[in-house]
Amino acid sequence: MKNYIKIDEWKIIEEGFHPEHNRITESLCSIGNGRLGQRGMFEENYSGDTLQGSYIAGVYFPDKTRVGWWKNGYPEYFAKVLNSVNWIGINIHINGTPLDLNNCSVRSFVRELNMLDGYLYRSFIAKLATGEKVKVETKRFLSITDDECGLLEYSITAMNFSGELVLVPYLDFDVVNEDSNYDQKFWEEIEKSTAQGEATIVAKTKKLDFVVGAAMKYNLFKDGEPIKMPALPTERKKYAGNIVMIPVVEGETITIQKFVGIVSSLNYPVTLINSKAMEASFRAQQKGFHQLLNEHSEAWHKKWEEIDIKIEGDSAAQQGIRFNIFQLHQTYTGADDRLNIGPKGFTGEKYGGSTYWDTEAYCIPFYLSTADESVSRNLLIYRYKHLGKAIENAQKLGFNGGAALYPMVTMNGEECHNEWEITFEEIHRNGAIAYAIYDYINYTGDQQYLAEYGLEVLIGIARFWAQRFHFSQAKNQYVMHGVTGPNEYENNVNNNWYTSYIAKWCLNYCAEMLEWLKNEDISRYKEILKKTFFDENVELKFWKELTSNIYFPFDEERGVFLQQDGFLDKELKPANALESSERPLNQKWSWDRILRSCFIKQADVLQGIYFFEDHFDSDTIKRNFDFYEPMTVHESSLSPCVHSILAAGLGYEEKAYDMYLRTSRLDLDDYNNDACDGLHITSMAGTWMSVVKGFGGMRVKDGLLNFKPMLPAKWLSYQFKIKFRGNSLSVKIEKNRITFESFGTEDIQVRINNQLIVLGAQAAKTVSFNNVPIIQ
């Protein structure tokens, strides 16, 4: 764990420069607006350890993966989220010496992500080797009110000298992905231009021909007053900028405000890219830096009114949840159903592809409660649009008849993950997509989605499961071999309990929804049967036979579901028996040793119990939690939140709190030593779930919101807002009592520990939840 980030409820603050942690802070200080993203590196040149990162949603590169051990069905490429134009660059020269903090004496350094207002601030005093001292202050943001615009303000004060400052604002497409093969670069220049006070550049990717245009304008000030200075154009390959020379005297402050427009061929014809980028930069300059920042901050304030979780009495926990919520809403807005949520969002390059099962299992519940229904609907429509590709993916592996296998990683519906044991064995992601359809309908009541889109997806997934099981003569039951469950520290296992259980549920749920549509809308039912060539007599009959006779490994002595065949043959010991020097295992142990161990990367059996908790009694949940959690090393970012939710339901307050703190501060404290390459964006939704579903105990049952709250001992109270079926509801949990406040126009019914409460429109009500009388 790193402990250099200051605890603050609304800010992420690095006080004092920590070059050894610079990449981590760059990740933590990332900004975005749903369309554009930027790591928190410096505007001026820095020769120390840094990861340049500017990203555009939906723009990627299909890197070739064919290798010597290529097999049939193997993906032809691995999708890379591309590092794009460096739009923040402003190189500084002081009396001929470049400003580079790696070669300076630095003091009073502060880097600060302001989450309330949505901008990144930095200040420092630097003394150059030649003796000049400067004070620098910067602000930058990616506008959420005009999402084609990035703006920054850079002020530099001559503290002990007079002379000349040279400012070089620029745009640079000559960038490289850190994981590129042989430093391969992915952009080709189409055109560029420079003029007094401006520059433009347009480039395209070497494959797929995504075209991106960037244009910049800038304003100059001396001690707050506008100035005009001549500029020399500077150009090289994939680079365009201005060189501005400004005389200064001791004590003067020079400020540059840079206005950048960035657009892509995802939204405009290629012929308009250059002009649209220039329009965006001009639009920003006309409004001005401070007006756009005020509009941006006001928009964030309104957003926070709807999405904030307030924790009283625990600043570290408060900072953690706000950081997670902030990064999620920077990453995805739901405005474009072509886009999805990458595991690293706009904060790094790792994991390449845009979409994992994380979206369905973790992010959809978050957006269901904190955003308009259309946001979650668009995430599901994204998968519907990829159904044809999912069927093709299954065909490549030998499945037929419309069976669909959704990819482990994808940009456009094609599988682009290049690890065999994950790509072809971690098939439980199909179940998460089906579960998300159920989750969405159960939460919103939007059954029409099922008729329009969802049922076709369910049929494709169910057909896959029906073919993926096979009948074992020895067991006289259906079994599923050669899979990898959520615990990726075991590969190619037989009868993974979670995979088989969610597969059975998918088959039954699809059959149930077919019956529902048949009764509700027979014409649409027949249309879907015709479109999918579905033979209800043959397929439904086989599904029923299959699901009634599936083998699930079980240990009678312990009363627990076995993660897979042979799990008890392992040497079973708790994770706390490991020396701290051995953690994390994925960085300290060989893969062979990990695969043979009992240690669990993330919830596996417990993932299934989390999804289907109503299928099991509390004793069953407790036995399985007590057996598996001690062996879990939580080296997946997706792990702590599930354990926190289950622990809260079991009344394990301390464990629930510890797991919450781990998930909420996973990146802030760098638990797994991997924040340097980007944040864990999708798992951040699990942090929200830990509070709302864990401590708040929120569930939707029979069309009603249910709550079973717990107040951690370290908290005085916590409060969150949720959207539910056209209503907006505030929930505040204090010691022994819960207060509901409705912001809707109709009455709403909720259950608190099975007690039905009727809440009037625009009304508030406080009730006890521990059989303790309320003292007014």
Side-chain angles (χ1 to χ4, degrees):
M1 286 176 56
K2 318 293 191 303
N3 293 300
Y4 71 100
I5 297 298
K6 184 178 178 181
I7 300 296
D8 185 283
E9 295 189 351
W10 278 110
K11 296 176 180 178
I12 307 304
I13 304 171
E14 177 191 27
E15 286 188 344
F17 184 37
H18 301 82
E20 73 279 12
H21 299 323
N22 185 50
R23 286 197 183 207
I24 298 173
T25 318
E26 288 177 344
S27 297
L28 298 178
C29 291
S30 296
I31 57 174
N33 64 8
R35 190 181 298 280
L36 308 170
Q38 176 68 52
R39 281 174 60 83
M41 73 277 191
F42 304 155
E43 290 86 358
E44 73 278 357
N45 181 61
Y46 179 63
S47 60
D49 189 24
T50 182
L51 176 59
Q52 147 69 29
S54 302
Y55 308 102
I56 299 170
V59 174
Y60 69 99
F61 186 85
D63 207 8
K64 190 174 181 181
T65 62
R66 186 182 287 264
V67 290
W69 54 87
W70 189 89
K71 304 291 191 302
N72 286 334
Y74 203 76
E76 295 182 1
Y77 66 89
F78 179 66
K80 294 182 184 295
V81 175
L82 282 191
N83 193 355
S84 185
V85 59
N86 179 3
W87 65 272
I88 67 170
I90 304 175
N91 285 340
I92 309 292
H93 296 263
I94 301 160
N95 287 337
T97 301
L99 176 62
D100 178 351
L101 295 194
N102 195 45
N103 298 319
C104 292
S105 171
V106 181
R107 63 182 179 88
S108 303
F109 182 96
V110 175
R111 183 163 30 181
E112 176 181 292
L113 180 67
N114 185 318
M115 298 182 290
L116 178 62
D117 295 320
Y119 66 82
L120 178 61
Y121 169 84
R122 183 170 59 108
S123 67
F124 59 86
I125 293 173
K127 183 177 181 181
L128 278 66
T130 49
E132 293 92 342
K133 281 173 45 177
V134 293
K135 179 181 180 181
V136 171
E137 286 189 278
T138 75
K139 275 185 184 177
R140 73 169 177 254
F141 65 99
L142 284 163
S143 173
I144 63 171
T145 57
D146 189 338
D147 63 9
E148 295 176 344
C149 296
L151 297 92
L152 66 86
E153 182 177 72
Y154 194 105
S155 297
I156 182 166
T157 302
M159 296 184 70
N160 68 344
F161 68 94
S162 298
E164 183 181 67
L165 289 181
V166 176
L167 278 61
V168 186
Y170 63 87
L171 303 169
D172 186 11
F173 265 105
D174 195 20
V175 294
V176 63
N177 273 49
E178 192 169 52
D179 64 349
S180 63
N181 296 316
Y182 309 107
D183 295 325
Q184 178 187 11
K185 295 181 179 180
F186 301 123
W187 294 97
E188 292 179 342
E189 180 185 310
I190 295 176
E191 60 177 304
K192 64 174 177 276
S193 65
T194 55
Q196 175 74 35
E198 64 182 51
T200 64
I201 186 165
V202 178
K204 73 177 182 70
T205 56
K206 291 183 177 179
K207 293 181 182 177
L208 302 184
D209 292 336
F210 288 109
V211 177
V212 173
M216 76 165 188
K217 293 180 178 293
Y218 58 85
N219 295 333
L220 295 169
F221 303 85
K222 180 177 285 190
D223 289 338
E225 296 298 320
I227 58 172
K228 299 286 186 182
M229 299 296 297
L232 298 174
T234 176
E235 295 183 3
R236 60 175 183 262
K237 187 177 181 182
K238 295 184 279 190
Y239 176 103
N242 279 195
I243 300 173
V244 186
M245 293 169 281
I246 306 174
V248 293
V249 298
E250 184 176 336
E252 283 186 330
T253 298
I254 303 300
T255 299
I256 180 171
Q257 294 175 346
K258 187 175 178 183
F259 308 90
V260 180
I262 302 174
V263 302
S264 79
S265 54
L266 286 170
N267 299 300
Y268 295 108
V270 171
T271 54
L272 296 180
I273 294 297
N274 192 40
S275 62
K276 289 297 181 181
M278 288 191 289
E279 284 176 20
S281 64
F282 177 76
R283 194 165 63 235
Q285 187 183 45
Q286 289 298 106
K287 274 203 169 183
F289 180 88
H290 295 293
Q291 181 179 338
L292 269 173
L293 178 57
N294 287 339
E295 292 175 2
H296 172 80
S297 297
E298 286 173 12
W300 266 110
H301 292 176
K302 289 179 181 178
K303 194 182 285 284
W304 279 116
E305 288 176 10
E306 297 297 320
I307 64 178
D308 192 20
I309 289 181
K310 299 175 182 177
I311 297 172
E312 186 182 6
D314 189 340
S315 295
Q318 178 68 86
Q319 183 185 41
I321 188 63
R322 282 185 175 142
F323 177 67
N324 285 256
I325 291 171
F326 178 73
Q327 290 294 348
L328 279 161
H329 277 279
Q330 284 200 130
T331 302
Y332 184 77
T333 65
D336 189 337
D337 65 16
R338 297 170 300 174
L339 303 179
N340 211 281
I341 307 159
K344 291 288 182 181
F346 294 129
T347 70
E349 301 164 12
K350 193 175 179 181
Y351 300 126
S354 171
T355 311
Y356 284 60
W357 68 286
D358 308 19
T359 293
E360 284 74 28
Y362 296 84
C363 296
I364 279 181
F366 169 78
Y367 288 105
L368 277 172
S369 290
T370 65
D372 188 82
E373 279 182 16
S374 62
V375 174
S376 298
R377 206 174 202 265
N378 276 347
L379 286 171
L380 294 178
I381 290 173
Y382 176 91
R383 291 295 196 179
Y384 173 79
K385 289 183 174 181
H386 289 173
L387 178 58
K389 291 289 187 182
I391 292 171
E392 288 181 19
N393 292 335
Q395 288 174 340
K396 291 176 182 177
L397 303 185
F399 297 86
N400 55 49
L405 175 60
Y406 278 89
M408 186 66 186
V409 179
T410 192
M411 284 288 192
N412 64 358
E414 295 176 320
E415 178 63 74
C416 59
H417 192 281
N418 60 1
E419 294 179 51
W420 183 275
E421 68 275 12
I422 304 300
T423 306
F424 302 108
E425 295 180 354
E426 199 166 334
I427 52 177
H428 65 82
R429 76 254 190 176
N430 247 19
I433 291 165
Y435 186 85
I437 294 171
Y438 158 78
D439 201 14
Y440 170 81
I441 293 170
N442 184 52
Y443 193 92
T444 65
D446 180 13
Q447 291 282 158
Q448 189 59 33
Y449 173 80
L450 187 77
E452 285 186 69
Y453 305 106
L455 191 52
E456 292 178 52
V457 174
L458 291 175
I459 288 170
I461 289 172
R463 283 170 160 170
F464 172 82
W465 291 127
Q467 296 178 44
R468 191 56 173 79
F469 284 102
H470 69 272
F471 189 75
S472 164
Q473 295 289 346
K475 287 184 169 63
N476 199 32
Q477 287 182 291
Y478 287 93
V479 297
M480 192 185 299
H481 284 187
V483 302
T484 297
N487 173 31
E488 294 170 340
Y489 287 177
E490 292 180 309
N491 300 153
N492 198 31
V493 301
N494 295 336
N495 299 308
N496 171 256
W497 181 88
Y498 169 70
T499 305
S500 294
Y501 197 89
I502 203 167
K504 175 182 176 179
W505 175 84
C506 287
L507 287 158
N508 287 334
Y509 181 61
C510 184
E512 180 186 338
M513 292 301 98
L514 280 162
E515 184 66 20
W516 173 85
L517 186 59
K518 186 176 184 180
N519 294 330
E520 292 290 323
D521 188 345
I522 188 65
S523 62
R524 177 58 178 157
Y525 175 77
K526 290 180 178 178
E527 184 181 339
I528 289 178
L529 261 57
K530 182 178 180 181
K531 183 178 180 180
T532 59
F533 302 97
F534 191 84
D535 188 330
E536 55 185 324
N537 294 322
V538 173
E539 295 193 65
L540 288 175
K541 181 180 178 181
F542 176 64
W543 293 1
K544 186 175 181 180
E545 174 195 340
L546 169 61
T547 56
S548 64
N549 195 26
I550 294 174
Y551 166 72
F552 293 99
F554 184 77
D555 177 32
E556 296 285 353
E557 180 181 343
R558 295 175 177 83
V560 298
F561 308 118
L562 292 183
Q563 197 161 277
Q564 73 276 327
D565 287 350
F567 185 80
L568 293 181
D569 292 335
K570 294 175 177 284
E571 180 185 5
L572 303 181
K573 58 183 180 180
N576 62 16
L578 292 165
E579 297 291 336
S580 59
S581 60
E582 296 182 273
R583 307 281 293 273
L585 300 184
N586 56 28
Q587 296 174 24
K588 302 297 178 66
W589 281 17
S590 69
W591 193 240
D592 169 72
R593 188 179 180 189
I594 288 174
L595 293 178
R596 289 186 286 108
S597 79
C598 71
F599 298 118
I600 301 169
K601 182 182 181 185
Q602 68 190 79
D604 196 304
V605 168
L606 297 182
Q607 182 76 37
I609 289 176
Y610 158 68
F611 275 158
F612 305 111
E613 63 179 354
D614 287 345
H615 297 191
F616 312 105
D617 60 40
S618 58
D619 287 342
T620 299
I621 296 173
K622 182 179 185 301
R623 286 195 302 271
N624 281 275
F625 187 92
D626 291 347
F627 180 67
Y628 285 110
E629 196 285 326
M631 290 184 281
T632 306
V633 290
H634 303 293
E635 290 175 9
S636 164
S637 63
L638 302 174
S639 185
C641 64
V642 172
H643 291 83
S644 180
I645 294 167
L646 290 176
L650 291 168
Y652 293 173
E653 180 190 320
E654 185 176 351
K655 175 60 71 173
Y657 176 81
D658 288 347
M659 288 291 99
Y660 162 77
L661 211 59
R662 178 163 184 145
T663 186
S664 68
R665 300 192 62 84
L666 178 75
D667 292 314
L668 290 174
D669 295 334
D670 198 21
Y671 272 89
N672 290 339
N673 295 319
D674 58 0
C676 56
D677 54 28
L679 306 176
H680 297 84
I681 298 297
T682 47
S683 71
M684 289 178 171
T687 301
W688 177 91
M689 294 195 308
S690 297
V691 176
V692 177
K693 291 192 169 190
F695 300 130
M698 189 197 82
R699 305 289 189 275
V700 176
K701 298 180 182 180
D702 302 321
L704 298 181
L705 287 170
N706 290 250
F707 297 89
K708 185 183 177 184
M710 165 191 284
L711 180 67
K714 295 186 179 182
W715 297 0
L716 299 176
S717 71
Y718 59 101
Q719 184 176 1
F720 53 85
K721 272 188 179 179
I722 52 175
K723 296 178 184 292
F724 181 70
R725 301 193 179 187
N727 289 290
S728 179
L729 188 70
S730 170
V731 183
K732 184 174 183 179
I733 290 96
E734 300 168 278
K735 187 175 182 180
N736 300 320
R737 67 183 193 173
I738 181 169
T739 300
F740 298 103
E741 185 176 1
S742 168
F743 300 94
T745 57
E746 299 179 357
D747 292 355
I748 182 173
Q749 293 182 324
V750 300
R751 290 195 188 100
I752 169 71
N753 289 341
N754 298 319
Q755 177 188 356
L756 186 64
I757 304 294
V758 179
L759 188 62
Q762 306 290 321
K765 183 175 287 190
T766 300
V767 296
S768 169
F769 63 82
N770 280 335
N771 297 318
V772 176
I774 296 173
I775 300 175
Q776 300 293 341

